[in-house]
Amino acid sequence: MSEVRVRFAPSPTGFFHIGSARTALFNWLYAKHTGGKFILRIEDTDKERNTEEALQVLLEGMRWLGLDWDEGPEAGGDYGPYFQSERQSIYDDYLKILKDKGRTYEKDGALWFRLEGERYTEYDEFHKAEVEKVKNAAVVIEDAIRGRVERAEERDFVIVRSNGEPVFHFVNVVDDIAMGITHVIRGEDHLSNTSKHVELFKALGAEVPVFAHIPLILKQSGPGKMSKRDEGALIEEYEQRSFIADAVRNYICLLGWSPKDDQEKMSIETIIERFDFAGVNKGNARFDETKLSALNAEYIRELAMDVFAEKASSILKAKGINLGSIEESYLLKVLELCQGKIKSMDTLFDYVHYFFQDGYDFDAKGMQRIQKGVDPKVLLGEIMSIFENEAEYSSETLESSIQAIAEANERKIFAYFPVIRMATSGLTGGPDLLPMLSVMGRERVLPRLQSFLEKL
Ligand code: GLU
């Protein structure tokens, strides 16, 4: 069999929608799985919408997801140009083939494609006119995902508009022929176009590629497909929110595809090995933010410390923490405390900021709760001597000392924790308290407890 050549053929809109990303990803996976080529072709015939900026959003999104292309913009290749706006002479050549075969005619200034078949005339109630129809044999599409689909084109259709612009169906098919595309993997919204495309492939004397139409992605709840306004629809937002790209990519793989054993978290190598059309569902996929976030948290937990530290540092810096004045060993200890706890990178700053700066706010609700229980002044008073006398704030020694005081005062050790946490972080939750105090050390914890006591 000849080499697999698949393509992702977006029309840049200024957004990189998760549905487009999924189409790109499935093409990429199929190319990797089969050892074929993945081509990026820019369908930029709509001149107004196709700005350089819109293109960059797309390319950046592809790069972020790690979807490298073998041919296309920046990569080049033997089948270029890879922008439809630069391929007019190729379209002219193919148009000539159709003209020479008598498969085109002009009507109302536009150029029409003539279907083959038996013509008959019918009265069209809606348009109040006689219309010529073609009794055409149904086109049979053996879709690699949908199975057998039959559809008959009834009417001739326009391939070049009266303003001279070639129509999507025509350029799309010409490019697939000229670029030697063997498999057309795209969204199900294009299934209804496919009979037109098959007619064009045949008229141009080209082999019809394998079609594989991927089901839609429905929005999180309710009917309807995910639109760009739905939360979670745009790839660029995941990048801005510091999602782990591998996690997002893993999640998108699961939007319509699953391996036989329904495993979810998989390395990209495993997915490439297992990916095939048989695993793509016929039914629609539904976007599930909870599942994506859970996967993302799992990926965060598994990042190598140096990778996590690099991501974390850039987030903390962007939030105004002066990491230059902070010892690296301290930073690493803080990050170790929180790597397994945070659910997403965009919660990191709120989770750890007080490790690096004193001027934190005190959570108002938490303060109220503390003041409702045993007088926090009394509680802190009971344990202050521990913090004054200990040199090393190790978790173990702190625990046994506080435990001893707790017993002497007939309390549970946990009775002291909320007030200590509030004093040293301003928060009601965070990393495990004793390891946290141990990492912060005497130099931070003691003055914070003292000033909190004065504040009370
Ligand atoms: N430009 C079309 C789209 O973005 C491509 C359709 C296809 O893949 O054939 O939907």
Side-chain angles (χ1 to χ4, degrees):
M1 206 181 112
S2 60
E3 183 185 56
V4 164
R5 289 177 60 81
V6 292
R7 86 301 193 271
F8 171 47
S11 308
T13 55
F15 307 96
F16 192 26
H17 188 273
I18 191 165
S20 297
R22 201 250 327 237
T23 300
L25 176 58
F26 281 18
N27 274 283
W28 182 87
L29 285 171
Y30 194 68
K32 297 278 178 206
H33 177 77
T34 56
K37 291 276 185 298
F38 174 53
I39 293 126
L40 175 60
R41 176 174 82 223
I42 307 300
E43 302 213 326
D44 58 344
T45 46
D46 180 343
K47 291 186 189 72
E48 264 132 59
R49 278 173 30 175
N50 288 289
T51 58
E52 177 61 26
E53 212 185 322
L55 176 68
Q56 286 311 324
V57 170
L58 189 88
L59 300 187
E60 171 55 24
M62 299 269 291
R63 280 191 282 261
W64 187 70
L65 287 172
L67 306 180
D68 52 321
W69 50 99
D70 300 298
E71 296 171 28
E74 295 174 2
D78 295 339
Y79 296 77
Y82 292 91
F83 291 86
Q84 287 190 330
S85 56
E86 296 168 17
R87 296 174 63 80
Q88 189 56 50
S89 67
I90 298 166
Y91 304 138
D92 291 341
D93 293 345
Y94 279 83
L95 218 46
K96 188 165 181 311
I97 300 175
L98 289 184
K99 278 182 189 163
D100 291 348
K101 286 187 172 176
R103 297 296 299 272
T104 63
Y105 59 91
E106 272 186 52
K107 192 173 86 185
D108 306 329
L111 193 73
W112 291 67
F113 174 67
R114 186 194 304 282
L115 290 170
E116 265 178 345
E118 194 186 320
R119 268 153 212 283
Y120 63 99
T121 305
E122 188 184 75
Y123 186 71
D124 180 334
E125 188 57 42
F126 183 71
H127 294 96
K128 302 269 183 257
E130 297 285 324
V131 291
E132 194 182 60
K133 279 197 169 188
V134 180
K135 200 178 251 161
N136 205 22
V139 164
V140 177
I141 303 151
E142 294 289 354
D143 193 277
I145 293 165
R146 304 304 309 251
R148 190 184 170 92
V149 181
E150 274 186 42
R151 209 187 127 95
E153 276 308 311
E154 291 198 328
R155 305 233 177 116
D156 296 347
F157 53 90
V158 172
I159 50 175
V160 182
R161 290 193 195 87
S162 49
N163 64 6
E165 274 176 19
V167 166
F168 159 71
H169 303 299
F170 178 68
V171 293
N172 182 267
V173 167
V174 167
D175 287 345
D176 284 344
I177 296 171
M179 293 182 175
I181 300 303
T182 57
H183 296 69
V184 171
I185 306 168
R186 62 185 173 190
E188 198 184 270
D189 44 330
H190 285 291
L191 187 58
S192 57
N193 295 325
T194 305
S195 45
K196 284 192 180 66
H197 297 183
V198 171
E199 295 283 5
L200 286 167
F201 276 106
K202 288 185 179 159
L204 287 163
E207 202 178 315
V208 180
V210 174
F211 287 99
H213 285 93
I214 324 169
L216 303 177
I217 302 175
L218 303 179
K219 58 175 106 187
Q220 176 104 18
S221 56
K225 77 177 196 177
M226 204 154 166
S227 86
K228 67 167 192 275
R229 285 171 301 279
D230 289 314
E231 172 92 25
L234 304 182
I235 300 301
E236 49 274 28
E237 284 175 6
Y238 291 108
E239 189 178 357
Q240 284 152 16
R241 289 163 61 198
S242 303
F243 269 75
I244 307 302
D246 286 355
V248 176
R249 183 175 61 190
N250 188 158
Y251 177 70
I252 298 175
C253 288
L254 303 175
L255 279 173
W257 173 81
S258 55
K260 285 186 192 72
D261 60 1
D262 282 330
Q263 203 181 325
E264 297 197 323
K265 183 169 180 297
M266 284 168 280
S267 71
I268 197 65
E269 291 76 20
T270 303
I271 296 175
I272 287 170
E273 198 188 301
R274 293 176 161 198
F275 185 85
D276 61 8
F277 295 136
V280 179
N281 307 328
K282 286 193 185 59
N284 292 329
R286 192 178 284 286
F287 180 72
D288 181 350
E289 160 79 36
T290 314
K291 190 161 159 181
L292 167 58
S293 298
L295 258 183
N296 189 53
E298 259 187 82
Y299 272 84
I300 292 175
R301 279 201 290 281
E302 289 177 14
L303 288 179
M305 183 38 91
D306 58 332
V307 178
F308 180 65
E310 203 187 306
K311 287 182 194 295
S313 301
S314 75
I315 291 172
L316 295 175
K317 263 187 223 151
K319 288 278 197 175
I321 305 271
N322 177 11
L323 290 181
S325 67
I326 286 154
E327 276 209 43
E328 199 185 327
S329 60
Y330 178 64
L331 174 68
L332 290 179
K333 276 192 233 154
V334 172
L335 294 181
E336 259 164 37
L337 275 186
C338 70
Q339 184 178 11
K341 304 273 181 169
I342 54 168
K343 299 270 180 291
S344 64
M345 293 301 283
D346 61 356
T347 58
L348 176 75
F349 174 78
D350 288 341
Y351 198 80
V352 297
H353 66 101
Y354 56 85
F355 280 94
F356 307 110
Q357 52 190 14
D358 285 330
Y360 46 88
D361 295 331
F362 293 90
D363 178 81
K365 279 210 184 104
M367 282 298 277
Q368 273 175 12
R369 218 179 305 148
I370 282 173
Q371 272 150 344
K372 265 192 210 143
V374 182
D375 185 352
K377 255 182 160 162
V378 172
L379 288 174
L380 269 188
E382 287 173 10
I383 52 171
M384 270 317 272
S385 63
I386 299 173
F387 292 93
E388 283 156 2
N389 299 334
E390 284 292 341
E392 294 282 325
Y393 281 21
S394 87
S395 294
E396 295 75 22
T397 52
L398 285 179
E399 182 170 12
S400 60
S401 310
I402 301 174
Q403 180 66 43
I405 301 264
E407 278 165 24
N409 291 285
E410 296 186 339
R411 302 188 201 284
K412 294 233 158 56
I413 185 171
F414 299 114
Y416 299 97
F417 283 15
V419 61
I420 302 175
R421 189 185 288 284
M422 181 56 70
T424 52
S425 72
L427 298 174
T428 55
D432 292 340
L433 182 71
L434 297 170
M436 166 182 144
L437 298 176
S438 161
V439 166
M440 285 179 149
R442 182 186 167 98
E443 80 220 71
R444 290 181 186 80
V445 174
L446 186 56
R448 288 182 186 192
L449 291 176
Q450 285 163 339
S451 84
F452 192 71
L453 205 50
E454 276 165 34
K455 184 177 143 75
L456 282 170

